[in-house]
Amino acid sequence: MVIRKIGHIFLLIFVFGTLFIIRKDLAYSLGLLKRFATSHSVVVGDGAFVRVVEKETVFNPGALKITSQKQSPSVNTKKPTDAVLTTLSSEIFAQTNIERTQAGLPPLERDSALDSMAEMKVADMVEKQYFAHVSPIGESIKELAKKSDYEYAIIGENLALGDTLTAGEIVNAWMVSSGHKANILHTGYTALGVAVGRGVIDGVEHIIAIQHFATPISKCPQVNTFLKTTIANKQKEVDQLKKEITVIDSQIKNSTQTGESELRTKYNTLVASYNALMANLKKNVDEYNLQVNKFNSCVQKL
C-alpha cells in the first residue's frame, strides 16, 4: 500500500495583524503625534500552520511465483487465448470480492483505469524482463499512476507469476501470503483493477497476474487549489499595503504640522484597506484550513 504523497504539500503559514486606525476626530498636534506614535503601529498576531498528511509508507508485498497444482511447470501446455486470459481476470476479481465478503468487508469496485495500469505493468515486466514491484529503471505503481493521471489517496499492488493457473490458485496463493492477503483485505481500498497476461521472462513463458488496489482521491473531500492561489495573491497585496503604511508612518513622524493632516488621511485610507483585506484573507484561510483538515482526516482513516 502506498499512502499518497501529494504532488505539492498544502502548506500555509498565515501571519495576521490589525492596524489601529488614527481617528479623525482626535486633535493631533506635533506633540500628541509623537506621544501617540504607537497608535498607528502594526500588531502581529500568532501564525497558523496547516499541512496535508504526507507519508511514504510502501506496502507492496513481494512478487509471488506459483506452481500449478494440476500440471508440472515443465509440461508444455497449450497457450491460453486472450479470451481465456480476460475470463481469468474477471474470475480473479470475483474471487477477491468473495474473500472480502467472507471477511465481513465491502466488495471492491472494478476500476477500468486500474485495469489499464495493471495491463501496463504486465507489458512492462515482459519488455524489461523482470518480476518485481519496482522496474529496472526504478518505476513502481506510483509512477504508473502518474503516467495514467490516476490520482489516489492510497494505492497497492499484488503480483503473481506461474504456469497454467486458475483464478482460485492465484487468489489462494495470495491469501496464504500475509502481505498479499493484507492488500486483499485492506479496509481502506474501494477499487480494484486486474490484468492477466502471458509472456516470456528469463526464457520461460509464464502466466502473469496483477492486482492494483486503490482509493481514488475523489473519495476524500477535495481541497480547493484555486482558493490557495487566491490566498497567496491576497497575501502579496497585504505585504505591499504594509510597506506603504510603514512609509507613511515614517513620514508622519517626521512631518511638519502643515503636511500632517494630508498624510494622516492617506494613512487612514491605507489602514482601512489593509484591515478590510486582512479580514477577508483570514476568512479565506479559515476555509482553506478547514478543507485541508477534512482531507487529512479522510486519508488518515484509510
Side-chain angles (χ1 to χ4, degrees), residues 49-176:
F49 173 83
V50 171
R51 69 179 176 86
V52 163
V53 171
E54 179 193 5
K55 295 184 180 179
E56 267 300 285
T57 305
V58 178
F59 190 65
N60 283 336
L64 193 64
K65 294 185 178 181
I66 311 169
T67 299
S68 174
Q69 298 174 1
K70 295 183 178 182
Q71 298 188 44
S72 166
S74 63
V75 175
N76 184 20
T77 58
K78 184 179 179 180
K79 296 180 180 180
T81 64
D82 290 341
V84 169
L85 295 176
T86 300
T87 299
L88 185 55
S89 171
S90 298
E91 290 173 349
I92 289 173
F93 177 82
Q95 186 63 40
T96 299
N97 275 335
I98 289 174
E99 295 291 349
R100 287 179 62 87
T101 301
Q102 290 176 347
L105 299 174
L108 299 173
E109 301 172 0
R110 190 75 183 258
D111 189 316
S112 59
L114 291 177
D115 283 342
S116 296
M117 284 170 51
E119 290 168 1
M120 289 170 61
K121 179 69 174 182
V122 171
D124 192 64
M125 286 196 295
V126 174
E127 178 186 349
K128 295 184 175 65
Q129 291 294 288
Y130 72 98
F131 180 61
H133 290 292
V134 181
S135 76
I137 62 173
E139 292 185 341
S140 68
I141 190 172
K142 293 185 295 181
E143 286 70 39
L144 279 176
K146 186 175 181 180
K147 287 180 178 180
S148 303
D149 294 325
Y150 189 90
E151 293 191 85
Y152 58 87
I154 56 174
I155 199 165
E157 179 180 74
N158 278 351
L159 307 179
L161 175 148
D163 52 352
T164 304
L165 302 172
T166 66
E169 286 177 322
I170 293 171
V171 176
N172 287 340
W174 279 329
M175 287 298 291
V176 297

Side-chain angles (χ1 to χ4, degrees), residues 2-287:
V2 177
I3 296 183
R4 185 185 183 201
K5 181 176 181 180
I6 307 301
H8 60 279
I9 301 172
F10 290 102
L11 175 63
L12 183 63
I13 299 176
F14 175 59
V15 179
F16 61 93
T18 302
L19 286 171
F20 294 100
I21 297 177
I22 300 175
R23 296 182 58 185
K24 295 181 180 179
D25 58 345
L26 293 180
Y28 278 86
S29 65
L30 186 59
L32 286 175
L33 179 61
K34 289 180 179 179
R35 181 181 177 186
F36 294 102
T38 56
S39 65
H40 50 268
S41 63
V42 177
V43 179
V44 180
D46 295 331
F49 173 83
V50 171
R51 69 179 176 86
V52 163
V53 171
E54 179 193 5
K55 295 184 180 179
E56 267 300 285
T57 305
V58 178
F59 190 65
N60 283 336
L64 193 64
K65 294 185 178 181
I66 311 169
T67 299
S68 174
Q69 298 174 1
K70 295 183 178 182
Q71 298 188 44
S72 166
S74 63
V75 175
N76 184 20
T77 58
K78 184 179 179 180
K79 296 180 180 180
T81 64
D82 290 341
V84 169
L85 295 176
T86 300
T87 299
L88 185 55
S89 171
S90 298
E91 290 173 349
I92 289 173
F93 177 82
Q95 186 63 40
T96 299
N97 275 335
I98 289 174
E99 295 291 349
R100 287 179 62 87
T101 301
Q102 290 176 347
L105 299 174
L108 299 173
E109 301 172 0
R110 190 75 183 258
D111 189 316
S112 59
L114 291 177
D115 283 342
S116 296
M117 284 170 51
E119 290 168 1
M120 289 170 61
K121 179 69 174 182
V122 171
D124 192 64
M125 286 196 295
V126 174
E127 178 186 349
K128 295 184 175 65
Q129 291 294 288
Y130 72 98
F131 180 61
H133 290 292
V134 181
S135 76
I137 62 173
E139 292 185 341
S140 68
I141 190 172
K142 293 185 295 181
E143 286 70 39
L144 279 176
K146 186 175 181 180
K147 287 180 178 180
S148 303
D149 294 325
Y150 189 90
E151 293 191 85
Y152 58 87
I154 56 174
I155 199 165
E157 179 180 74
N158 278 351
L159 307 179
L161 175 148
D163 52 352
T164 304
L165 302 172
T166 66
E169 286 177 322
I170 293 171
V171 176
N172 287 340
W174 279 329
M175 287 298 291
V176 297
S177 166
S178 60
H180 299 87
K181 179 179 179 179
N183 262 343
I184 290 174
L185 301 183
H186 195 292
T187 58
Y189 291 136
T190 62
L192 172 62
V194 182
V196 180
R198 66 175 184 271
V200 176
I201 296 179
D202 294 332
V204 180
E205 186 168 70
H206 297 284
I207 299 295
I208 304 166
I210 312 290
Q211 285 182 315
H212 279 175
F213 304 86
T215 294
I217 198 172
S218 58
K219 295 291 184 179
C220 287
Q222 297 301 288
V223 177
N224 188 335
T225 54
F226 177 76
L227 181 58
K228 184 184 179 184
T229 302
T230 299
I231 290 170
N233 291 336
K234 287 183 179 178
Q235 186 65 61
K236 290 179 182 178
E237 293 182 51
V238 164
D239 293 341
Q240 181 58 38
L241 278 174
K242 190 174 179 179
K243 290 179 182 178
E244 294 177 18
I245 289 169
T246 300
V247 171
I248 301 298
D249 180 38
S250 177
Q251 291 175 348
I252 290 175
K253 292 176 181 178
N254 298 300
S255 69
T256 63
Q257 192 167 4
T258 303
E260 180 187 343
S261 177
E262 182 179 349
L263 287 172
R264 190 166 65 247
T265 298
K266 186 175 182 180
Y267 175 89
N268 284 342
T269 299
L270 289 175
V271 166
S273 297
Y274 178 95
N275 286 344
L277 184 58
M278 287 300 300
N280 187 260
L281 178 57
K282 185 178 186 302
K283 182 179 178 181
N284 290 157
V285 168
D286 288 344
E287 173 60 26

